[in-house]
Amino acid sequence: MTNPATDQRVPLLGAEPRLTFPSGFRWGTATAAYQIEGAVAEDGRTPSIWDTFSHTPGRVVEGHTGDVACDHYRRYADDVRLMAELGLTAYRFSIAWPRVQPGGRGPANQAGLDFYRRLVDDLLEHGIEPWATLYHWDLPQELEDAGGWPERDTAERFAEYAALTHDALGDRVRNWTTLNEPWCSAFLGYGSGVHAPGRSDGAASVRAAHHLMLGHGLAVQAMREARPENNFAVTLNLYAVSPATDSEADADAARRIDGLSNRIFLDPLLRGEYPEDIRADLREVSDFRHVRDGDLATIATPLSMLGINYYSRHVVAAPEPGADGTDQPGDATWPGSESVRFVTRGLPVTDMDWEIDAPGLDETLRRVHRDYTDVPLYITENGAAFVDKLVGDEVDDPDRSAFIDAHLRACHDAISAGVPLRGYFLWSLLDNFEWAWGYTKRFGITYVDFSSQRRIPKSSARWYADVIRHNGLAAG
Ligand code: IFM
């Protein structure tokens, strides 16, 4: 395996790993329903906003859809066997709301729940702990037609769906995550419109962010009341954020982007407030009158643990003055950040063009623990897309192993500094439907031949299995 920065192979472990993780550390992979399941009209499932979006010409690269995806709905048993062969101790998957509660209202659909019962039972039989996420972006289309996340009612509907799903599966799934990456749902879905439902309305995106988090709080309360012994979390996509220079203007750009990507969720969730600077940065877009008394206390309902997805760092700068002396617009696409320039540093990038910055993960973990919370932390996603080539029956993806290796070292550094990091879920088990990029970006440690649905573990899968077997990494 080669490291793109050094062109060095990442060694497989010998008998004596020197970087050992705490015993009981969870080694997992993560996936999401719409990205892998397919079977979109099976057993009573109704369309989600992603079905509508992906079937709208021009929204997804090459017109790809999740109609078939990895056909995991039918092939889940093969996929669980694959996980067992890798030695995973945990698996994070998401539940499709429109499968379990078609249309987003009313009674549970037993046929939909049965699929997750089968999946969970199979995981348990293989000694793999199931981790369920309730919302990974597939809002029932009917709820979007009624206004979607910008409407308060969607938060209530989400709590009802969470309670009904947890009632059915809470006896065998101990670890529950409400939302995956509410930043993406709110700001890519309703702000820039590059994700479903594809709306570009700054005010709506700020309301969506609030109602997503309100739905999270209401859902945790409902589920905890039913089974207080289970663990409840939310997963945030957090970024390390740095100013491009030590100028005051760039420091302010970094403050703003940290606020609009990280603190806008961390502060309500863990401090019960929206920071004043964020309200000020958003004043042209929102008066925050949608925030009702008691909402912030609900959002700040205590968590059992927190999920963090980490991919890269934002390096940002203030706008440059144009020829006429006025500020040139930046290139951000969500409200409040229009004036900020995102700067690249010439570091190696993944196939998403995201700069590889493993120290940013250590920094993020320490910051969350130091400034916000003592609860156990989990990396619920981390991984990389690279251009993979199937040669014969092999895919050699050294850059991916090097990426994971570097990020696991960052996790180890954070643990050594006292951060209660308890597990790592690699994104992703399988190549899958990468949202607006369709099937053109491969994140899996397992190659999927989408024409035959054949699964081929990449060299990174063998490398990760070795890490799991040794509960650690070779000396670096
Ligand atoms: O594929 C996505 C996933 O659904 C959410 N987090 C980021 C991944 C890579 O873009």
Side-chain angles (χ1 to χ4, degrees):
M1 333 261 129
T2 34
N3 178 323
T6 60
D7 209 28
Q8 299 275 306
R9 282 230 148 207
V10 178
L12 286 171
L13 292 169
E16 298 284 337
R18 299 222 202 118
L19 230 50
T20 305
F21 282 73
S23 88
F25 191 80
R26 256 63 160 233
W27 293 105
T29 57
T31 62
Y34 190 71
Q35 294 182 271
I36 64 166
E37 284 180 2
V40 290
E42 216 77 15
D43 296 332
R45 182 188 180 280
T46 54
S48 78
I49 53 176
W50 268 98
D51 295 285
T52 310
F53 188 80
S54 66
H55 279 270
T56 306
R59 292 303 206 168
V60 175
V61 171
E62 296 176 23
H64 292 166
T65 74
D67 289 2
V68 178
C70 305
D71 197 26
H72 172 77
Y73 192 74
R74 292 188 191 78
R75 294 167 193 264
Y76 75 90
D78 292 342
D79 293 337
V80 172
R81 206 170 312 125
L82 197 60
M83 294 179 220
E85 281 163 16
L86 291 174
L88 299 187
T89 60
Y91 172 58
R92 173 175 182 250
F93 61 97
S94 83
I95 293 173
W97 186 349
R99 219 183 260 302
V100 159
Q101 191 188 35
R105 295 174 200 276
N109 171 31
Q110 290 307 321
L113 280 172
D114 283 345
F115 166 67
Y116 296 106
R117 289 194 183 100
R118 290 194 295 275
L119 170 65
V120 164
D121 288 349
D122 203 11
L123 289 166
L124 291 170
E125 273 162 33
H126 284 85
I128 301 169
E129 192 179 39
W131 284 55
T133 297
L134 285 157
Y135 186 73
H136 200 125
W137 308 353
D138 39 7
L139 184 71
Q141 182 61 44
E142 285 87 338
L143 294 186
E144 175 58 24
D145 296 342
W149 286 109
E151 289 303 316
R152 191 178 178 89
D153 183 59
T154 306
E156 308 274 351
R157 300 281 65 74
F158 176 69
E160 185 184 288
Y161 149 68
L164 137 177
T165 308
H166 178 255
D167 274 355
L169 299 170
D171 58 340
R172 53 198 105 178
V173 178
R174 296 289 320 280
N175 298 294
W176 290 82
T177 299
T178 52
L179 311 171
N180 181 71
E181 302 183 351
W183 183 89
C184 296
S185 301
F187 296 113
L188 301 183
Y190 295 92
S192 67
V194 299
H195 277 190
R199 284 163 63 180
S200 305
D201 176 344
S205 72
V206 175
R207 290 202 309 276
H210 182 71
H211 295 141
L212 280 151
M213 294 309 287
L214 182 64
H216 152 78
L218 292 169
V220 170
Q221 290 177 356
M223 293 190 288
R224 186 171 277 142
E225 196 180 324
R227 285 183 186 273
E229 69 277 19
N230 284 347
N231 298 316
F232 304 103
V234 63
T235 276
L236 303 179
N237 52 316
L238 299 181
Y239 289 87
V241 182
S242 310
T245 70
D246 56 11
S247 75
E248 251 178 60
D250 287 358
D252 193 58
R255 174 206 59 73
R256 180 181 280 260
I257 292 306
D258 178 47
L260 295 170
S261 41
N262 298 326
R263 290 184 288 116
I264 192 168
F265 294 104
L266 286 168
D267 282 53
L269 185 69
L270 297 159
R271 294 183 178 163
E273 63 188 26
Y274 282 111
E276 275 314 313
D277 66 315
I278 296 178
R279 287 182 187 251
D281 291 340
L282 290 172
R283 72 180 160 263
E284 314 258 297
V285 185
S286 177
D287 55 14
F288 279 81
R289 280 212 300 235
H290 52 276
V291 179
R292 295 198 191 155
D293 285 353
D295 282 4
L296 285 160
T298 303
I299 292 171
T301 299
L303 296 171
S304 325
M305 53 198 188
L306 176 67
I308 295 173
N309 293 355
Y310 176 84
Y311 287 94
S312 192
R313 179 190 299 270
H314 289 318
V315 180
V316 293
E320 275 169 347
D324 61 356
T326 57
D327 287 348
Q328 295 300 292
D331 44 14
T333 50
W334 75 93
S337 61
E338 295 83 358
S339 62
V340 172
R341 284 184 300 127
F342 286 72
V343 174
T344 51
R345 293 164 289 166
L347 294 181
V349 294
T350 68
D351 194 32
M352 302 297 283
D353 262 344
W354 298 341
E355 286 193 333
I356 301 174
D357 191 325
L361 173 54
D362 177 24
E363 188 178 312
T364 301
L365 284 165
R366 289 187 205 217
R367 186 254 184 125
V368 169
H369 177 59
R370 183 190 63 229
D371 295 350
Y372 286 98
T373 183
D374 286 334
V375 297
L377 304 179
Y378 289 86
I379 296 302
T380 38
E381 283 183 30
N382 173 244
F386 286 109
V387 179
D388 296 316
K389 291 268 171 296
L390 180 61
V391 181
D393 271 349
E394 299 279 328
V395 178
D396 191 22
D397 58 339
D399 291 349
R400 185 172 288 104
S401 302
F403 179 101
I404 302 162
D405 179 83
H407 287 78
L408 284 174
R409 283 172 203 280
C411 289
H412 197 274
D413 287 346
I415 294 169
S416 305
V419 174
L421 178 68
R422 300 282 155 74
Y424 176 90
F425 292 81
L426 197 165
W427 186 269
S428 179
L429 175 69
L430 303 169
D431 292 336
N432 60 48
F433 176 80
E434 177 54 26
W435 306 113
W437 292 99
Y439 299 98
T440 62
K441 305 288 178 191
R442 292 180 178 270
F443 272 90
I445 53 172
T446 307
Y447 185 91
V448 177
D449 174 346
F450 291 103
S451 59
S452 65
Q453 290 296 347
R454 199 167 145 228
R455 274 73 162 139
I456 299 150
K458 304 177 189 176
S459 61
S460 60
R462 291 193 291 279
W463 177 84
Y464 189 50
D466 207 40
V467 171
I468 298 173
R469 200 163 36 249
H470 289 86
N471 194 40
L473 300 163

